[in-house]
Amino acid sequence: MKVVVVGHGPTGHRLVEALRARDETGSCRITVIGEETRPAYDRVALTSYLTEDADLAYPAHDGEVELLTGDPAVEIDRAARVVRTGSGREVAYDALVLATGSAPFVPPVEGRDLPGVFVYRTIDDLESLRRHCAGLTSSRPSAGGVVVGGGLLGLEAARALQDLGVDTHVVEVAPWLMPRQLDEGGGAMLRRHIEALGMRVHAGTPMAGLEAGGDGAVARVALADGSAIDAGVVVFSAGIRPRDELARACGLPVGERGGIVVDDACRTADPAIWAVGECALVDGQVYGLVAPCFSMAEVVADHLLANAAGSGSGARFEGADLSTKLKLMGVDVASFGDPFAGPDQGALDVTYTDPVAGVYKKLVVSDDARTLVGGVLVGDASAYPTLRAYVGAELPGSPEQALFGGTEAAGGDLPGATVICSCNNVSAETIRCAIRDDGLRDLAEVKGCTRAGTTCGSCVPLVKRLLDAELTAAGIEVSRALCEHFDHSRAELFDIVRVRGITSFTRLIEEHGRGRGCDICKPVVASILASLGNGHILDGEQAALQDTNDHFLANMQKNGTYSVVPRIPGGEITPDKLIVIGEVARDFGLYTKITGGQRIDLFGARVEQLPEIWRRLVEAGFESGHAYGKSLRTVKSCVGSTWCRYGVQDSVAMAIRLELRYRGLRAPHKLKSAVSGCARECAEAQSKDFGVIATEKGWNLYLAGNGGMRPRHADLFASDLDDETLIRYIDRFLMFYIRTADRLQRTATWLESLEGGIDYLREVIVDDRLGLCAELDAAMDRHVDGYADEWRATLEDPDKLRRFVSFVNAPDTPDPSIAFVPEREQIKPVLVAGPRLEVTTR
């Protein structure tokens, strides 16, 4: 059977792959006609092509598939069953599948055709946009950019513009961002995150038209409220329209607002022609997400193969799960089920808002609060995979427990019919059966066998939990792979990087991983590289791997400003340095706070103020306190024997010595320490990652303590140590922890996970049971010798300083969304009310 597929986007590619995988007898001869010169690629990851030069190409088809690229189909002759292409080629078919996708919707406004106006759909679109922005930033550096549309694609386009160095505005006609996925509360929280990153959002404000400048190119965007935005580039991303022109021209029925009309088998009015993906209108709806488009491709593949075999197929497209999870400019956003259901549908809302952390969560549940209907997550979407899987099912606990991760461990208990991967319609039972029946042992095997987690990837954590649950039940050791891109644990990756002398994420993933990496492995590898002294964290590729705070060497606060935390070793500071801190706080209008870690934090700095603030602090002898990093924070101390009548050792001198020795040491998690000058323990050393308490004979060393949410009393490791032995043991403890701990594992949980606990650790560090002590000593020596203050190095490098602006094309312009009010003779940010949990009957 001659099968012709018109369109080689993701859906067309998926259809061909499904046909080839299932066609064991070779009954179908497939020809694909593609409009673009490139074979199919991942449109979902378009922005990464700009920001990372990522390779988006899908795997090539085998040699049995004829692929015609750069030659669009222009006519269908239904009577002759022939497709004609732009080059005049005629391709005969027995079965024709239209996978022509969609085109960006550009509103019919004046100026839409001006130079400098783009859409955001293909790699060619992105290349044109990149070239234009490169010329714009050099010729009109103050010109901004406007993205029309605040949905999924619009925000991706806005991120791309900002990454290209353009001061970016987002114009959305709806009252809030992502109105098709988020409710008003979620949209408002997302807006706060987006604006904190330096973008400006104009929501509830339609665009009136585009105006040209003196050179004939776009120069301004006029809004319906009478205001205007200066813009040298405009990107339309305001929705899509089905590419149905071929179907219209050959007489196939199309919808009133577009889309090729098909039945639940995705067949058109012509029994020889099917339509799949964004060009298809199924039961009055066009689907714009990848999951339903792939489901259509699978349905049509079943029918084509059945027809080729002379039989029938019962495969039907029965709608789709429109849940989605993504990370927009570092912000987790998720929507699942029906987040807009209300009392008319017998539903209740359970909502939680935390403006401090920038988190909004809403669950929609049945009126008896037992069945999950839908929900919205912004700022923290860690519970998304499990919550989405529970849509339509009874929650294992209360809605409040579900909101805060109470279902996260329930992977092994999910009902078998629960859809885990909506992109590929894979159920929990399908995954369990594949693991048991096919002897699958790792995540890559499960993904390869079931296709779960191979598209958007949001279900991967839940797939992993199902795998772990099945392997544990079978008595099989569970893999400790860091993520889907690496088969190794963090500790194993540390040794690979160290032994092989790897100095970049690119080389590591090429030689020991797969894919492009993710938000799990990139910061982990960045930390490993920094731990091994691989240069400044903002050098080259390293800068793209860092967590949000590390990008600006400062902690972002809830209103988009940053805190400045100079190091004050041991809490000891001279009057002159105190005066400098006071002057800086006064001159830049900062809020000052003496912390529990014995230093002074300065809050409220805008991003463009950070270099100037630090220039003054560095000139006064201060250096970075690393409050933003997974590294040593402080070594707290009492005044010790110098002043205190109870002190038996100089705790301040020891605290300063330790803090200066371990400053800048990158680790799996933050590190805190303290030194007490006597057994009265005023510095609270036993609640720290490593704590020291003075004795008449020397020092007692305590390890793996923890404050915070889960306090843990530190274990006594060794007693009555002299100065050099104490430091040697701490050196080895820290380096062994850095080498062997898991991602984001504090020393307390790390020690609890060590077989043999504190006794085993003593054998490693004191008795050299593993023969590692010389290596650990040398590693610490390299750190100490190679230490350089990150802020001083940044101030000396013009390339690094260029990132410290609120608006790339207006570096001296402060962010107008940042505001303060006075309180107790200082400032506080203007924000909405604090965290709240509500149950409402909306």
Side-chain angles (χ1 to χ4, degrees):
M1 184 170 71
K2 293 176 287 188
V3 176
V4 174
V5 180
V6 177
H8 199 227
T11 306
H13 183 276
R14 179 57 170 270
L15 171 67
V16 174
E17 289 295 280
L19 285 171
R20 293 299 304 140
R22 302 177 202 172
D23 189 7
E24 298 178 356
T25 62
S27 58
C28 294
R29 189 169 78 246
I30 304 169
T31 301
V32 183
I33 301 173
E35 183 176 43
E36 292 187 65
T37 56
R38 296 175 177 83
Y41 53 87
D42 183 3
R43 294 191 194 277
V44 175
L46 265 182
T47 303
S48 66
Y49 176 82
L50 277 181
T51 58
E52 305 169 26
D53 286 325
D55 180 6
L56 306 184
Y58 285 133
H61 300 307
D62 62 31
E64 298 299 314
V65 177
E66 183 182 17
L67 176 60
L68 310 176
T69 58
D71 191 12
V74 296
E75 183 184 0
I76 299 171
D77 186 337
R78 291 167 55 192
R81 291 195 176 182
V82 166
V83 177
R84 296 186 179 91
T85 71
S87 67
R89 171 178 255 173
E90 294 189 348
V91 184
Y93 66 86
D94 298 312
L96 173 64
V97 184
L98 300 177
T100 47
S102 63
F105 170 65
V106 179
V109 295
E110 184 177 352
R112 57 185 285 179
D113 298 322
L114 288 172
V117 178
F118 298 87
V119 294
Y120 195 84
R121 186 65 175 167
T122 68
I123 287 180
D124 287 341
D125 293 334
L126 267 63
E127 289 287 7
S128 298
L129 183 63
R130 193 206 305 257
R131 287 192 297 270
H132 179 81
C133 289
L136 183 70
T137 53
S138 60
S139 63
R140 294 175 58 192
S142 62
V146 173
V147 174
V148 180
L152 292 173
L153 285 177
L155 293 178
E156 280 293 316
R159 174 192 165 196
L161 267 189
Q162 190 177 57
D163 287 340
L164 290 172
V166 178
D167 177 19
T168 304
H169 299 249
V170 177
V171 175
E172 168 57 48
V173 66
W176 60 83
L177 296 173
M178 290 181 62
R180 297 189 64 180
Q181 290 82 23
L182 302 182
D183 65 345
E184 184 174 5
M189 187 64 73
L190 177 60
R191 176 173 182 164
R192 287 187 55 216
H193 280 287
I194 298 301
E195 290 184 330
L197 295 173
M199 294 188 191
R200 278 166 279 186
V201 176
H202 309 263
T205 309
M207 183 190 61
L210 307 180
E211 301 172 3
D215 59 357
V218 67
R220 281 171 301 281
V221 175
L223 302 182
D225 62 4
S227 62
I229 306 169
D230 291 335
V233 58
V234 175
V235 179
F236 280 103
S237 188
I240 58 174
R241 292 294 182 266
R243 292 283 303 274
D244 56 15
E245 56 268 27
L246 278 174
R248 288 177 184 271
C250 71
L252 291 173
V254 297
E256 183 178 349
R257 300 189 62 187
I260 306 166
V261 176
V262 296
D263 60 18
D264 59 2
C266 297
R267 193 192 306 258
T268 70
D270 185 328
I273 303 178
W274 282 259
V276 294
E278 294 173 333
C279 67
L281 182 69
V282 189
D283 195 22
Q285 183 168 357
V286 171
Y287 291 89
L289 296 176
V290 69
C293 294
F294 283 1
S295 295
M296 293 182 212
E298 298 285 343
V299 167
V300 172
D302 277 346
H303 280 276
L304 293 177
L305 291 172
N307 290 354
S311 60
S313 169
R316 294 290 182 268
F317 177 73
E318 300 176 348
D321 179 4
L322 299 182
S323 301
T324 184
K325 174 183 177 292
L326 63 159
K327 186 178 284 288
L328 290 166
M329 292 167 277
V331 183
D332 283 328
V333 179
S335 173
F336 50 93
D338 183 0
F340 303 108
D344 293 345
Q345 293 82 36
L348 306 176
D349 287 354
V350 181
T351 62
Y352 169 80
T353 304
D354 183 354
V356 176
V359 172
Y360 175 84
K361 300 182 180 185
K362 181 180 85 168
L363 293 188
V364 180
V365 296
S366 58
D367 54 10
D368 61 1
R370 298 178 65 181
T371 302
L372 182 60
V373 177
V376 169
L377 304 170
V378 177
D380 176 12
S382 57
Y384 168 79
T386 308
L387 288 173
R388 186 193 57 74
Y390 270 99
V391 171
E394 186 171 321
L395 289 167
S398 69
E400 295 93 320
Q401 290 174 317
L403 266 180
F404 297 104
T407 66
E408 282 300 282
D413 301 323
L414 286 169
T418 303
V419 175
I420 301 299
C421 177
S422 59
C423 293
N424 299 291
N425 198 29
V426 184
S427 69
E429 190 57 27
T430 299
I431 295 172
R432 292 187 183 116
C433 288
I435 295 168
R436 292 192 296 262
D437 298 345
D438 297 335
L440 307 182
R441 293 295 179 266
D442 60 40
L443 185 60
E445 291 178 342
V446 175
K447 292 170 70 175
C449 180
T450 66
R451 303 197 74 143
T454 59
T455 304
C456 77
S458 63
C459 65
V460 168
L462 191 51
V463 176
K464 182 66 165 62
R465 282 198 291 277
L466 287 169
L467 173 64
D468 291 350
E470 288 298 312
L471 295 181
T472 300
I476 300 170
E477 184 178 356
V478 174
S479 168
R480 295 181 61 219
L482 176 64
C483 68
E484 61 179 297
H485 301 103
F486 289 99
D487 295 327
H488 306 283
S489 67
R490 181 200 171 277
E492 291 168 339
L493 286 176
F494 186 97
D495 282 335
I496 289 171
V497 172
R498 178 181 61 85
V499 172
R500 304 208 171 193
I502 292 174
T503 59
S504 70
F505 178 84
T506 298
R507 180 184 163 195
L508 181 65
I509 201 166
E510 284 177 351
E511 296 181 3
H512 301 280
R514 66 187 71 84
R516 299 189 293 267
C518 63
D519 295 319
I520 294 175
C521 60
K522 286 182 178 179
V524 168
V525 174
S527 174
I528 291 172
L529 293 171
S531 298
L532 293 171
N534 191 47
H536 197 286
I537 66 169
L538 298 184
D539 279 336
E541 184 191 54
Q542 281 251 83
L545 305 177
Q546 305 298 330
D547 282 322
T548 301
N549 288 330
D550 287 301
H551 278 295
F552 295 110
L553 307 180
N555 272 345
M556 179 183 282
Q557 303 304 311
K558 64 183 182 179
N559 68 333
T561 60
Y562 292 83
S563 64
V564 173
V565 187
R567 186 173 299 286
I568 303 177
E572 182 179 87
I573 187 167
T574 65
D576 286 342
K577 285 190 173 183
L578 273 175
I579 289 170
V580 169
I581 289 179
E583 289 175 340
V584 167
R586 179 198 61 206
D587 294 347
F588 288 90
L590 307 178
Y591 170 87
T592 55
K593 176 77 169 66
I594 298 175
T595 73
Q598 297 183 336
R599 56 187 181 183
I600 301 172
D601 290 6
L602 313 177
F603 293 85
R606 299 191 307 271
V607 65
E608 73 273 9
Q609 293 177 319
L610 291 174
E612 289 308 309
I613 290 171
W614 272 107
R615 196 178 305 280
R616 288 178 58 174
L617 292 172
V618 168
E619 288 173 354
F622 288 102
E623 61 181 33
S624 171
H626 284 96
Y628 50 83
K630 301 294 188 291
S631 54
L632 180 75
R633 298 294 174 86
T634 64
V635 181
K636 185 178 178 180
S637 76
C638 62
V639 296
S641 59
T642 305
W643 292 93
C644 180
R645 57 191 172 130
Y646 300 108
V648 294
Q649 301 289 349
D650 187 351
S651 57
V652 177
M654 179 55 71
I656 292 172
R657 183 176 179 183
L658 294 177
E659 185 158 345
L660 295 180
R661 183 170 183 81
Y662 304 128
R663 58 188 170 176
L665 182 66
R666 296 281 167 160
H669 213 300
K670 62 185 176 184
L671 295 165
K672 295 183 179 181
S673 179
V675 181
S676 286
C678 73
R680 290 174 180 262
E681 243 283 71
C682 293
E684 303 169 326
Q686 293 175 82
S687 64
K688 302 294 190 284
D689 294 283
F690 59 100
V692 179
I693 300 177
T695 70
E696 294 286 351
K697 299 179 181 179
W699 308 96
N700 287 350
L701 175 59
Y702 292 82
L703 298 180
N706 200 99
M709 187 180 297
R710 293 182 56 206
R712 182 186 189 277
H713 206 268
D715 292 338
L716 177 62
F717 181 79
S719 302
D720 297 328
L721 303 175
D722 59 53
D723 290 7
E724 299 309 315
T725 303
L726 170 72
I727 291 173
R728 184 164 62 251
Y729 287 172
I730 296 174
D731 285 356
R732 294 172 180 175
F733 162 72
L734 292 174
M735 282 303 174
F736 189 55
Y737 160 67
I738 290 170
R739 177 180 288 198
T740 61
D742 288 333
R743 166 182 174 266
L744 299 180
Q745 188 176 37
R746 290 292 298 269
T747 58
T749 52
W750 169 73
L751 181 61
E752 290 170 352
S753 71
L754 283 181
E755 187 174 350
I758 194 72
D759 292 330
Y760 170 74
L761 189 60
R762 198 175 286 116
E763 291 175 357
V764 171
I765 290 174
V766 178
D767 302 333
D768 200 13
R769 172 179 171 179
L770 302 180
L772 290 176
C773 285
E775 287 185 31
L776 301 177
D777 293 342
M780 184 59 76
D781 288 342
R782 284 193 297 273
H783 164 72
V784 174
D785 293 341
Y787 170 77
D789 177 40
E790 288 174 351
W791 260 111
R792 179 181 289 276
T794 299
L795 294 172
E796 295 170 352
D797 188 334
D799 288 336
K800 294 185 178 71
L801 287 176
R802 274 196 282 270
R803 71 175 50 241
F804 293 93
V805 291
S806 290
F807 306 108
V808 175
N809 292 326
D812 298 324
T813 302
D815 187 340
S817 68
I818 293 173
F820 302 96
V821 294
E823 181 177 84
R824 295 186 297 275
E825 299 183 31
Q826 295 208 76
I827 60 169
K828 77 169 185 178
V830 178
L831 285 173
V832 297
R836 62 184 183 271
L837 180 66
E838 302 172 351
V839 180
T840 61
T841 54
R842 178 169 51 78

